[in-house]
Amino acid sequence: MATIDALLANRVRGLRGSAIREIFKVTQQPEVISFAGGLPAPEMFPVKELAEISQDILLHKGAIALQYGITEGYGPLKELVKNRMQAQGIWSDQDDVVIMSGAQQGIDLTAKIFLNEGDGVICENPSFIGALNSFRAYKGVIHPVEIEDDGMNVEQAEEILKSNPSIKLIYTIATFQNPSGITMSLEKRKRLIELAEKYDVFIIEDNPYGELRFKGEEIPTIKSMDTSGRVIYVGSFSKILSPGLRLGWIIARPEVLQPIVVCKQVNDVHTNVFSQMIAAEYLTRYSIDEHIGKIRKLYGHKCGYMLECMEKYFPDFCKYTRPEGGLFIWCTLPEKYNSLDVLKKSLERKVAFVPGSTAMADMDKPSSSFRLNYSTMTDERIEEGIRILGEVLKSL
Ligand SMILES: Cc1ncc(COP(=O)(O)O)c(C=O)c1O
């Protein structure tokens, strides 16, 4: 029999699992101080409320919750998401919404309906590995664009668009980017829409962190300025309610959503109805904005505390971003260092983080950057971990 490798489809060859998952195995050990994950703070899950809601649903609407559902999503949840998005200006008359099994599915299905082998996608470099791997799996060509303090370098993006007619998509996490924590300026957002119109491409605006601002001024989403239906907006309940519910959504015009719905049918038929009913009921009974307010406060504190500790313990040659929201701080060492080597050393001392290369378009190129997450560790562990990491950095 041929080896499995020989039988595997071309589209999965060369795909590599996230190094984050590998690191996760180590970070499961309780003694490890992990800044590696991107998990929301579990103490923020409204466990009691969701337990009551779940019981009520099963007792009173069990026949619906446990039955097959509609691919587009559970009607009441669609309506609630639509109302929230409209209140935030993330909607135009030509748009509709489809509920997804997480934002990841939204990105993946968007890639699936647009990309033929060899079609191009412009991405911030670094970017979210889940999205990069979806583009890779459909044999898309990733065109990396550097990310500056105020977001993607749009001039560079235009140069790439000019010389690559096969580009179909621009993928951006414009607000509190994963992994950099950087937010794109208003000017660049407007410019990106102009580019999408000029070069006839779509923008995927992936916005799972946008509501987690704890500092600074709100900047309108790209979608809220989209008058020509060029922006496909992907939202998520993962960071504002619970990732385990696996709920996200896509807002786009029907011509985009129709093929996505067909692909979703063959992918997972529909999003978990029980989960959707839980979220709908939570949004009806409680104020999710109040809940998000508590999450913002907690993350604002944790981010501020981690930055204070970094100020105290890190050597000057380590530069880092100061995010105004979201979950991540991005650190950059002088180019001669490889953050994978730093990780090996820090793991010996039971401190974990995500090395930058995992988030780059070219994963094989060493990166001197790394990502720190502050949402799940206690203040004591943040200080201890940053102190140890500071010692590792100083010893390089
Ligand atoms: C930028 C970005 N997009 C999408 C996702 C996936 O979100 P979801 O849990 O809704 O699938 C993540 C998860 O960490 C993310 O960081």
Side-chain angles (χ1 to χ4, degrees), residues 102-104 107 128 171 173 178 206 208-209 236 238-239 246-247:
Q104 175 64 44
I107 300 161
F128 169 52
Y171 170 72
I173 311 151
N178 179 8
D206 181 16
Y209 305 107
S236 175
S238 290
K239 307 299 188 309
R246 301 309 307 130
L247 293 174

Side-chain angles (χ1 to χ4, degrees), residues 217-349:
E217 299 271 304
E218 290 285 340
I219 301 182
T221 57
I222 304 175
K223 180 71 186 162
S224 69
M225 297 181 283
D226 171 35
T227 51
S228 55
R230 289 273 157 194
V231 184
I232 299 163
Y233 181 91
V234 184
S236 175
F237 279 110
S238 290
K239 307 299 188 309
I240 56 172
L241 186 58
S242 144
L245 290 174
R246 301 309 307 130
L247 293 174
W249 61 92
I250 301 191
I251 298 170
R253 55 199 215 190
E255 303 92 292
V256 172
L257 292 179
Q258 276 153 12
I260 285 180
V261 167
V262 176
C263 288
K264 184 168 166 61
Q265 268 160 10
V266 299
N267 188 292
D268 63 354
V269 185
H270 62 77
T271 302
N272 183 319
V273 181
F274 188 27
S275 277
Q276 294 187 76
M277 291 175 83
I278 292 171
E281 201 54 34
Y282 182 84
L283 292 177
T284 308
R285 287 190 198 179
Y286 301 97
S287 161
I288 192 161
D289 293 325
E290 233 170 71
H291 178 65
I292 294 170
K294 290 182 200 155
I295 301 175
R296 290 178 180 203
K297 201 165 159 221
L298 180 76
Y299 291 175
H301 164 76
K302 282 184 191 277
C303 178
Y305 191 65
M306 183 176 264
L307 287 168
E308 243 176 64
C309 295
M310 289 163 76
E311 209 76 60
K312 188 164 155 194
Y313 296 111
F314 274 20
D316 289 342
F317 64 76
C318 180
K319 307 291 176 213
Y320 42 86
T321 53
R322 286 172 175 74
E324 298 190 331
L327 296 184
F328 308 112
I329 298 173
W330 181 247
C331 305
T332 303
L333 302 170
E335 253 177 59
K336 63 180 172 182
Y337 298 114
N338 181 347
S339 60
L340 254 183
D341 299 334
V342 184
L343 178 64
K344 281 177 201 145
K345 290 198 167 114
S346 83
L347 279 179
E348 281 166 18
R349 301 198 51 195

